[in-house]
Each structure stands twice: as structure tokens, then as C-alpha cells.
Amino acid sequence: MATSELQTITYKKVGQLHIQLDLTLPPNAYKVPVLLWFHGGGLLQGRRDTNIPPHMIRGVTKYNYAFISSDYRLAPQVGVQDILEDVRDCIDFIRTELAKHTGPGVLDTHRLAVSGSSAGGYLSLLSGLYVNPKPKVILCIYPITDPLGNFFTTSQLHTLGAARTEPALIAEFLDPQSDVVANSAPGDESNRNKMYNYMLEKANLAALLRIGAGDEFRIARSIFQCGLPPTYIVHPDGDKDVGVDQSDEVVGVMVGLNMEVGYKRLHGLSHFFDLDEQVQLEDMYEFLLKHL
């Protein structure tokens, strides 16, 4: 049977800006758990309806969960602290308000998993650190984990080849006083979609996210104080957009603290590998179902 039609819902307003999520339910949904996914793009670009892994959409019927893809405000017009507030507010909306849109008995929002790809994986980890009550389980796909780590403080121009981003093309998006938005323009219509490569070239992610010298937004360093729920991380060692060392560090800390963590460190694959329709990641979903 097919999944239900996608439902778009505003979960938060900031001034005149509507911040939205998309909800897809399995057929005949009854007390189904929720998988919340955040998109990538360095928290600088992207939108809730692009680069969704096909395996997550298939999972709605295969594993019988409600799938939510959510937008959030983008940097540098806001900082990571503001974006974390969007994550908190989205999860609070799911837990307290979403049933008004689905009807009673459809969702079991106590069984909440938070996932994300790249920067979305970073947001999923931040939710595991700082949202209370914590999600039941975190699923990270090639996540950013430390904007002040070596990968993001060293220019990655060598991996970008001859491609350089002309600053004039993205000047309005670099301006912190520009209008706040919660997604890039659809498709390739916006030069905002050049922001990530520009950041890799300039090695200035922390500055764009307004992250200072403290450890609050460095995942591995924050685990000691805040802890994480059961966490599963997938990261290919050929990733040139988020270095695999970002995940290695977090997994190492969790193992050292005897926290429950699964790690699929794939050899030779690259960022976005799981947009291939053939990718299943069945071990990740086994971990998900174990903890929901």
C-alpha cells in the first residue's frame, strides 16, 4: 500500500517567517513512532524537500514510522543557538501539537528518533545533547560534529579543484543583516546553494554559525557533561564534504564512556552516497527499531 499524502505544517513563526515541516504517514497508521530528519547544507543552505535519502522514505512503509522532514532558519543571518531553538521548538511541536493535525491515536510521539544528514546530523546530535526529554535514539549520516575541528578550520580548496566561489555571487547571503530565511530557493535557482563550497574554501564555518571558543557546540567535548541517547553513525571514509574524523572522534568518546553507539564506517564511498536508490542501511534501521 502507498503512504499517505505528504502534509505540510507550520511548526513555528518568527515574525512573518513560517518555518515548516513535512509529514508522511504509513498506511493505517496507529500509534506509530516518529522519525524526524533534518537536511544538510552546513546550516547555510538547503531545504526540507531536497536530498532526502530514499531509504528513509521507503522506511515509512517498510518499518512503519511517521517521517518528518523539517526546515530551520539558516546562518549566517542567525547563529547555531537560534537554529538549536528551532530544533527544540520542532520537537516540542511534535510532542504537544502534531496530534491536532493527524487526529488521536495515529502517533506515539514518546517514541521519537531524530536523524539528519551532514549538518542535519549535527542538529540531531545537538538534540541528543540539549533537548529534554532526550529523543529515544539518534541516527546520523555523515554528520558534522565539530565546526572548530581540523576539517572545518583548514581550507578544503584542494578537494574542490579549480572551482572557487565568486564572493559577489553570494554577498547577500553572507550579509548577516539580510532577511532571515528557513530554506534556499527551490532547485538551483539561488546562489545561496554555493555557500557550502565557499565555506569549505574559506574554512570559516564556526564564524558563519557564530560559534565562539567554548565547547558547547563541539559534540565530542559536550558528551562528557550532557550525555547522548543511543546513537548510530554512518560515515564513508571517502567523504570530501565532511571529514570522517568528525565522526571518529564522537564514536571514540562514546565508546570510552560505555555509551551505546553503532558505527558504520564505509570504505571508499563519498558524501551523498545514500541518495542511491540501492542503499538500504538495514543495520541502522535494526538499531532504530531496537531503541524506539
Side-chain angles (χ1 to χ4, degrees), residues 1 24 36 59 98-99 107 127 152 159 164 186 216-217 227 236 282:
M1 295 179 65
T24 304
L36 168 62
L98 187 56
L107 303 173
S127 78
F152 288 109
T159 71
R164 294 174 182 260
E216 181 182 4
F217 295 107
E282 291 179 347

Side-chain angles (χ1 to χ4, degrees), residues 99-210:
K100 297 176 183 177
H101 298 266
T102 63
V106 173
L107 303 173
D108 181 356
T109 58
H110 295 289
R111 293 191 292 153
L112 173 68
V114 182
S115 182
S117 303
S118 196
Y122 182 44
L123 294 182
S124 72
L125 288 165
L126 289 175
S127 78
L129 291 172
Y130 299 122
V131 172
N132 289 301
K134 293 182 183 294
K136 295 291 187 186
V137 59
I138 303 296
L139 308 176
C140 306
I141 303 172
Y142 33 80
I144 292 171
T145 71
D146 187 359
L148 287 166
N150 183 67
F151 181 84
F152 288 109
T153 55
T154 304
S155 174
Q156 301 299 317
L157 184 60
H158 64 287
T159 71
L160 300 171
R164 294 174 182 260
T165 303
E166 173 56 50
L169 294 176
I170 56 172
E172 65 178 295
F173 309 115
L174 286 170
D175 182 358
Q177 302 305 315
S178 292
D179 291 341
V180 177
V181 299
N183 50 48
S184 301
D188 296 322
E189 298 171 20
S190 173
N191 281 329
R192 185 161 203 130
N193 294 324
K194 297 178 171 64
M195 286 282 286
Y196 195 85
N197 279 1
Y198 176 83
M199 175 275 295
L200 289 179
E201 177 187 338
K202 299 301 182 184
N204 62 352
L205 179 60
L208 292 171
L209 299 183
R210 306 182 191 179

Side-chain angles (χ1 to χ4, degrees), residues 220-242:
R221 298 179 182 218
S222 301
I223 295 172
F224 295 92
Q225 180 176 356
C226 300
L228 279 173
T231 298
Y232 193 97
I233 298 178
V234 181
H235 208 137
D237 65 8
D239 195 335
K240 296 181 179 180
D241 293 288
V242 179

Side-chain angles (χ1 to χ4, degrees), residues 19-57:
I19 310 178
Q20 297 181 313
L21 59 80
D22 289 340
L23 168 68
T24 304
L25 295 170
N28 306 313
Y30 176 70
K31 293 186 177 180
V32 295
V34 177
L35 175 57
L36 168 62
W37 178 83
F38 292 105
H39 67 79
L43 308 185
L44 305 168
Q45 64 186 60
R47 51 187 297 123
R48 68 186 185 279
D49 56 359
T50 57
N51 292 332
I52 300 174
H55 55 86
M56 286 201 167
I57 300 300

Side-chain angles (χ1 to χ4, degrees), residues 65-120:
Y65 55 68
F67 180 72
I68 294 174
S69 174
S70 180
D71 278 333
Y72 47 84
R73 287 173 291 172
L74 298 178
Q77 288 69 44
V78 300
V80 68
Q81 184 67 63
D82 305 290
I83 299 169
L84 177 56
E85 285 304 311
D86 292 344
V87 171
R88 283 194 179 106
D89 290 338
C90 181
I91 291 174
D92 183 65
F93 178 88
I94 290 168
R95 286 170 164 166
T96 64
E97 302 292 328
L98 187 56
K100 297 176 183 177
H101 298 266
T102 63
V106 173
L107 303 173
D108 181 356
T109 58
H110 295 289
R111 293 191 292 153
L112 173 68
V114 182
S115 182
S117 303
S118 196

